[in-house]
Amino acid sequence: MPNKNLMNVESHILEMQRLHPSASGDFTSLLGDIAFAAKIIAREVTRAGLVDILGSTGASNVQGETVQKLDDYANAVMLKVVGRRGQVCLMASEELADPVRVDIREGSGKYVVVFDPLDGSSNIDANVSIGTIFSIYRRRSRLAAIGDADLLQPGRDLVAAGYVVYGSSTMFVNTTGHGVHGYTLDPGIGEFLLSHENIKIPFAAGIYSVNEGNEPRWSPAVREIVRRLKYGRQESGGMSARYIGSLVADFHRDLLYGGVFLYPPTDRAPEGKLRLLYEAAPLALIAEHAGGYASDGRGPILDLVPREVHQRTPLYVGSRETVMWIEKMLGDPTFGDPAFGAGD
Ligand code: P6P
């Protein structure tokens, strides 16, 4: 095996694809395209303060959220770069109301890609880390009959998923089914170099990440769960609170250090705020392939079959022991109900 420190993302994925003798190279080149798009986005994110790209376009997206100029830019880059070589037949984006069919003049059109081009963009002006999240599914239908069956697939059927975090450095983290690996961008040579091989998330969390400003809007059970995370449970003492309000940055830290990220339902958002297809499912795949777990409070995120492209879901993701405990508590109808004591 060549010197791993000089392994860029393309060659590392190629190395892993050797495990699939029938691989055509489409998958490897698709991931290479996503890495290329990430470098272009990283360049603009890094210099956003220097050119007139900061701030809002004034428009709003399908979510009703103000679209930041960098959102627009990142979305355009992903649409233009990803699948430009015929590997992709269909794309969906947080920034687009409807999916986009890719005109396959040549190539297999074997894959479907869904993405959040720039998550956490409300933090752009404050120079807080933001990120791109993506999922790759295999097309299920004939090219002429592409539709929801190809797009609305459960996370369990993902062939790859990952994110790019634009922070103190730019890091590309993904899984193609052979472990979770992180690649750090060396701007001097414009390459993502393997820096975090085979990431494993600690079994028990030491950090909890949740917007505690929403506490008045949570159920009694969720309030009791967060209270326990803070004050300690039998198995472990209280945890540290870390919350940036940028999903990719919060998730990335919890993945590396061992933590649990929670976005529970509220009275305003009974299905939660985060989107299943291009936020929860790809991060759930990363978490599970790193030894963690992701739940919607009732069961595995990866088993959920989306009903529509922008569907939201509650999300509890991170260290396996802690997320499993949360899911168990939420499954107990008496937990957190004052009439039954604080539960457990
Ligand atoms: P809240 C950013 O807008 C985002 O979609 C995620 O990146 C982040 O985790 C979440 O919303 C933060 O939401 O309600 O805590 O501000």
Side-chain angles (χ1 to χ4, degrees), residues 12 49 58 86 88 116 136 170 188 197 200 207 220 246 251 319:
H12 191 226
V88 176
D116 182 352
I136 303 176
T170 297
E197 188 175 15
K200 291 296 179 194
I207 295 169
S246 184
F251 176 83
S319 294

Short mmCIF file of all heavy atoms in Angstrom, two decimals, residues 12 49 58 86 88 116 136 170 188 197 200 207 220 246 251 319:
data_model
loop_
_atom_site.label_atom_id
_atom_site.label_comp_id
_atom_site.label_asym_id
_atom_site.label_seq_id
_atom_site.Cartn_x
_atom_site.Cartn_y
_atom_site.Cartn_z
N HIS A 12 -7.57 6.95 -2.94
CA HIS A 12 -8.01 6.08 -1.82
C HIS A 12 -9.30 5.36 -2.19
O HIS A 12 -9.46 4.17 -1.94
CB HIS A 12 -8.20 6.92 -0.56
CG HIS A 12 -8.39 6.11 0.68
ND1 HIS A 12 -9.36 6.37 1.61
CD2 HIS A 12 -7.73 5.01 1.14
CE1 HIS A 12 -9.31 5.47 2.58
NE2 HIS A 12 -8.33 4.63 2.33
N GLY A 49 -15.67 36.74 2.57
CA GLY A 49 -15.60 38.06 3.19
C GLY A 49 -14.90 39.08 2.31
O GLY A 49 -15.00 40.28 2.54
N GLY A 58 -31.69 37.93 -0.88
CA GLY A 58 -33.04 38.51 -0.70
C GLY A 58 -34.13 37.55 -1.12
O GLY A 58 -35.27 37.65 -0.69
N GLY A 86 -22.05 11.89 -17.01
CA GLY A 86 -23.03 10.87 -17.39
C GLY A 86 -23.25 9.79 -16.36
O GLY A 86 -23.98 8.83 -16.59
N VAL A 88 -24.77 10.30 -13.49
CA VAL A 88 -25.95 10.62 -12.66
C VAL A 88 -27.17 10.88 -13.55
O VAL A 88 -27.06 11.58 -14.57
CB VAL A 88 -25.65 11.87 -11.78
CG1 VAL A 88 -26.89 12.30 -10.99
CG2 VAL A 88 -24.48 11.59 -10.85
N ASP A 116 -27.53 18.78 0.26
CA ASP A 116 -27.75 20.11 0.83
C ASP A 116 -26.47 20.86 0.49
O ASP A 116 -25.43 20.60 1.08
CB ASP A 116 -27.95 19.99 2.36
CG ASP A 116 -28.23 21.34 2.99
OD1 ASP A 116 -28.11 22.36 2.27
OD2 ASP A 116 -28.55 21.38 4.19
N ILE A 136 -25.62 9.29 -2.20
CA ILE A 136 -25.60 8.67 -3.53
C ILE A 136 -26.37 7.35 -3.49
O ILE A 136 -26.05 6.47 -2.68
CB ILE A 136 -24.16 8.40 -4.01
CG1 ILE A 136 -23.33 9.70 -4.03
CG2 ILE A 136 -24.18 7.79 -5.41
CD1 ILE A 136 -21.87 9.50 -4.41
N THR A 170 -10.66 22.64 5.46
CA THR A 170 -11.77 22.04 4.72
C THR A 170 -11.58 20.54 4.72
O THR A 170 -10.50 20.05 4.32
CB THR A 170 -11.81 22.57 3.28
OG1 THR A 170 -12.05 23.99 3.32
CG2 THR A 170 -12.94 21.91 2.50
N GLY A 188 -2.45 24.20 -0.89
CA GLY A 188 -1.22 24.43 -1.68
C GLY A 188 -1.17 23.57 -2.94
O GLY A 188 -0.66 23.98 -3.98
N GLU A 197 -8.15 8.16 8.75
CA GLU A 197 -8.53 6.86 8.17
C GLU A 197 -9.37 6.07 9.15
O GLU A 197 -9.07 6.02 10.34
CB GLU A 197 -7.28 6.06 7.79
CG GLU A 197 -7.60 4.79 7.02
CD GLU A 197 -6.35 4.07 6.54
OE1 GLU A 197 -5.26 4.38 7.04
OE2 GLU A 197 -6.49 3.20 5.66
N LYS A 200 -13.80 6.07 13.91
CA LYS A 200 -14.75 5.35 14.77
C LYS A 200 -15.25 6.31 15.85
O LYS A 200 -14.45 6.99 16.49
CB LYS A 200 -14.07 4.14 15.43
CG LYS A 200 -13.72 3.01 14.45
CD LYS A 200 -14.96 2.41 13.84
CE LYS A 200 -14.63 1.31 12.83
NZ LYS A 200 -15.82 0.95 12.01
N ILE A 207 -20.38 14.47 25.01
CA ILE A 207 -20.89 15.80 24.60
C ILE A 207 -22.34 15.63 24.16
O ILE A 207 -22.69 14.62 23.53
CB ILE A 207 -20.09 16.32 23.38
CG1 ILE A 207 -18.62 16.57 23.74
CG2 ILE A 207 -20.70 17.57 22.78
CD1 ILE A 207 -17.74 16.82 22.49
N PRO A 220 -42.33 16.42 27.54
CA PRO A 220 -41.74 16.14 28.85
C PRO A 220 -40.63 15.08 28.76
O PRO A 220 -39.61 15.19 29.43
CB PRO A 220 -42.92 15.64 29.68
CG PRO A 220 -44.13 16.23 29.04
CD PRO A 220 -43.81 16.31 27.56
N SER A 246 -24.83 24.71 13.43
CA SER A 246 -24.49 24.35 12.05
C SER A 246 -24.32 22.83 12.06
O SER A 246 -23.34 22.32 12.61
CB SER A 246 -23.19 25.06 11.65
OG SER A 246 -22.88 24.80 10.31
N PHE A 251 -22.13 17.88 14.01
CA PHE A 251 -22.02 16.43 13.80
C PHE A 251 -20.55 16.00 13.73
O PHE A 251 -20.15 15.01 14.35
CB PHE A 251 -22.74 16.01 12.51
CG PHE A 251 -22.60 14.54 12.20
CD1 PHE A 251 -23.42 13.60 12.80
CD2 PHE A 251 -21.61 14.10 11.33
CE1 PHE A 251 -23.28 12.25 12.53
CE2 PHE A 251 -21.45 12.75 11.04
CZ PHE A 251 -22.29 11.82 11.65
N SER A 319 -22.98 8.75 19.27
CA SER A 319 -22.46 7.57 19.99
C SER A 319 -23.57 6.55 20.23
O SER A 319 -24.64 6.89 20.75
CB SER A 319 -21.86 8.02 21.33
OG SER A 319 -20.70 8.81 21.08
#
